[in-house]
Amino acid sequence: MSINSFGHLFRVTTWGESHGPALGATVDGCPPGVRITPEMIQHWLDKRKPGQNKYTTQRREADEVRILSGTFEGVTTGTPIQLMIENTDQRSKDYGDIKEKFRPGHADITYFQKYGVRDYRGGGRSSARETASRVAAGGLAREAIKAIAPNVEITGYMVQMGPHQINRDAFDWEQIEQNPFWVPDAQAATDWATYLDGLRKSGSSVGAIIEVTARGVPAGVGAPVYGKLDTDLAAAMMSINAVKGVEIGEGMSAAMLTGELNADEIFMGDDIVEIVLVGAHITEKLVMLPASNGQIERWFNLDDLDYAAEVSGGVMMHLARNKLSRREIPNTDLPIVTPAGPRYSSNHAGGILGGISTGQDIVVRFAVKPTSSILTTRKTITKSGEETEIITKGRHDPCVGIRAVPVGEAMMACVILDHLLLHRGQIGENRGVIG
């Protein structure tokens, strides 16, 4: 049974245990010609690896990935790709005391009930260490996505730690990689540090909610009924160790809305065009082009732009064509970044309707339970059925949600690529043209 595999055309099989010699992933169905090196994959593994700060397990693993097959001269060949990560910092002796006991909250008891044997060293196959294999496969998937849908951006971040939520009004994409919690709210990062430090020192743990957003996914990806994009996304996120709930878009909160509030109204949009304003610069909220040589002063609100970046000699912007004429800037003969098409008033659906992407941001959230390995004495039983007590020793995450962020990103990347390939195989280019 291929119960260690997921995906349809882009198919990933993970293998290995927490305290075995190595773990990894076998990836089949990756398109040929994708440029890939170990360094490209390592970038994403470095986001997940343990021991980076005091808020994660102090197990010291380099998580260095090796590509054993499926590439030639730096590009994929279309044949199976074998990715391997060696385990180098196992401390199996830390688990000697639980050889005969089942840890509450862990999969020890269910693995034993199913198989009659279990690897008690860190949980074996049920350990969160297995997710390193997924992140490696996700790094490969990201590079393949670039060749098929180069505008796709996948970003994960924490939105809640225990009872503490981010302030959505203070959401800042730039903050995500500026703190150890991958949180888009600078104040929340400061508050959470104090909160988690107290839990860590007490030997306890806490859960978290992670949100993963895929921007730039074209409309039409996914299929009705049994091939839904959100079905596969939900299954992928739910398969991550310690995940106990998944939401798409409004999720459970949709049950509290009326039909009027929940429906994302549809309008016809305008062409998104690219323009370079020579001599312009970016302020906190505006793109400014000061008056000179008889020209009038021009400015644009950053909130009105799809994209803005300072380039040599000025600012490059992506914005709706109809926002140019009002500022006496010619709106003809400009490169079209996104052709005119449907626009939505909101995104309660999370970018997916009927299992098919709308072209909006795809938004998935998942809840991670507290790490079950804690230093508080808990009641349990032994394999022989005797009641006893247990304290879980070893090196563990006080909030496993922190390292779940790159794992969620990886699963999003694998599912998105899989469905892009399915769409290309059945449809090619979208058949329905609006406008």
Side-chain angles (χ1 to χ4, degrees):
M1 294 185 294
S2 58
I3 54 177
N4 293 291
S5 304
F6 67 92
H8 304 282
L9 295 186
F10 183 80
R11 191 156 181 80
V12 178
T13 302
T14 66
W15 53 270
E17 293 81 34
S18 174
H19 285 234
L23 44 78
T26 304
V27 181
D28 202 0
C30 183
V34 176
R35 183 157 295 282
I36 192 71
T37 64
E39 290 74 22
M40 291 175 177
I41 297 174
Q42 194 66 48
H43 170 76
W44 305 108
L45 279 166
D46 287 347
K47 288 184 65 174
R48 183 216 158 273
K49 72 179 181 181
Q52 297 189 69
N53 55 64
K54 64 182 180 180
Y55 302 111
T56 61
T57 173
Q58 294 307 294
R59 179 170 173 171
R60 300 288 179 176
E61 294 283 359
D63 279 356
E64 292 184 0
V65 65
R66 293 175 59 192
I67 302 175
L68 303 184
S69 68
T71 66
F72 179 68
E73 295 183 341
V75 298
T76 59
T77 61
T79 57
I81 298 169
Q82 184 79 324
L83 305 172
M84 185 179 77
I85 302 164
E86 292 187 66
N87 291 323
T88 59
D89 190 30
Q90 311 98 309
R91 290 186 189 172
S92 300
K93 61 181 177 61
D94 287 345
Y95 297 90
D97 292 343
I98 66 166
K99 182 178 180 179
E100 300 297 322
K101 301 177 181 179
F102 300 117
R103 295 170 295 174
H106 278 276
D108 297 347
I109 190 166
T110 52
Y111 266 55
F112 180 76
Q113 287 173 312
K114 180 177 179 68
Y115 298 109
V117 62
R118 70 180 176 98
D119 185 345
Y120 61 86
R121 305 166 304 167
R125 185 78 176 135
S126 68
S127 169
R129 177 125 186 87
E130 181 270 345
T131 60
S133 305
R134 304 172 186 232
V135 174
L140 175 61
R142 285 178 185 264
E143 297 304 318
I145 288 172
K146 288 179 183 178
I148 300 172
N151 293 326
V152 172
E153 294 181 49
I154 296 171
T155 309
Y157 41 90
M158 289 182 65
V159 295
Q160 186 170 336
M161 180 186 288
H164 305 290
Q165 301 181 20
I166 66 168
N167 177 6
R168 290 280 180 176
D169 292 334
F171 193 106
D172 183 357
W173 293 98
E174 300 299 322
Q175 277 294 322
I176 295 172
E177 299 204 17
Q178 303 302 316
N179 60 79
F181 309 120
W182 313 110
V183 58
D185 175 354
Q187 185 58 52
T190 300
D191 296 341
W192 293 4
T194 302
Y195 171 69
L196 190 58
D197 210 31
L199 282 172
R200 179 182 64 84
K201 290 176 180 178
S202 71
S204 189
S205 64
V206 72
I209 296 178
I210 289 85
E211 187 169 281
V212 185
T213 298
R215 294 174 284 177
V217 177
V221 178
V225 191
Y226 302 113
K228 291 181 177 180
L229 176 58
D230 40 357
T231 297
D232 284 351
L233 282 172
M237 300 305 173
M238 198 73 196
S239 73
I240 299 171
N241 310 63
V243 170
K244 301 303 289 185
V246 180
E247 293 185 329
I248 309 290
E250 200 67 38
M252 294 294 179
S253 298
M256 298 184 289
L257 301 178
T258 63
E260 292 86 354
L261 291 174
N262 186 65
D264 302 314
E265 293 187 286
I266 309 172
F267 305 89
M268 196 62 187
D270 195 12
D271 287 338
I272 302 298
V273 297
E274 180 178 279
I275 184 173
V276 175
L277 285 182
V278 178
H281 64 278
I282 298 176
T283 68
E284 183 178 352
K285 296 182 178 180
L286 302 172
V287 173
M288 293 290 300
L289 180 62
S292 63
N293 298 326
Q295 293 183 335
I296 63 170
E297 179 183 80
R298 296 166 182 159
W299 54 268
F300 295 86
N301 284 310
L302 287 176
D303 291 342
D304 292 338
L305 306 178
D306 279 33
Y307 171 82
E310 292 187 350
V311 296
S312 178
V315 173
M316 175 186 290
M317 305 185 304
H318 294 174
L319 73 166
R321 185 185 292 279
N322 65 9
K323 292 179 180 176
L324 287 173
S325 58
R326 291 181 292 178
R327 292 169 174 82
E328 298 184 20
I329 296 176
N331 61 9
T332 58
D333 301 324
L334 290 172
I336 296 176
V337 180
T338 306
R343 298 286 184 269
Y344 295 82
S345 61
S346 51
N347 191 17
H348 297 297
I352 303 173
L353 290 170
I356 301 171
S357 61
T358 64
Q360 296 173 276
D361 291 352
I362 293 175
V363 183
V364 181
R365 282 180 301 282
F366 59 90
V368 179
K369 69 178 183 179
T371 311
S372 298
S373 298
I374 54 177
L375 295 179
T376 304
T377 301
R378 309 303 294 164
K379 294 185 182 301
T380 188
I381 61 173
T382 66
K383 287 197 297 184
S384 61
E386 298 174 354
E387 293 186 352
T388 184
E389 294 182 339
I390 190 171
I391 294 178
T392 306
K393 300 177 182 178
R395 298 162 293 176
H396 309 287
D397 294 271
C399 180
V400 75
I402 298 172
R403 294 199 297 132
V405 171
V407 181
E409 290 180 334
M411 297 307 287
M412 175 77 89
C414 288
V415 173
I416 293 294
L417 173 60
D418 191 31
H419 275 267
L420 285 168
L421 294 172
L422 288 167
H423 180 75
R424 186 172 68 171
Q426 182 191 20
I427 306 296
E429 295 184 357
N430 285 344
R431 306 298 292 271
V433 178
I434 298 174

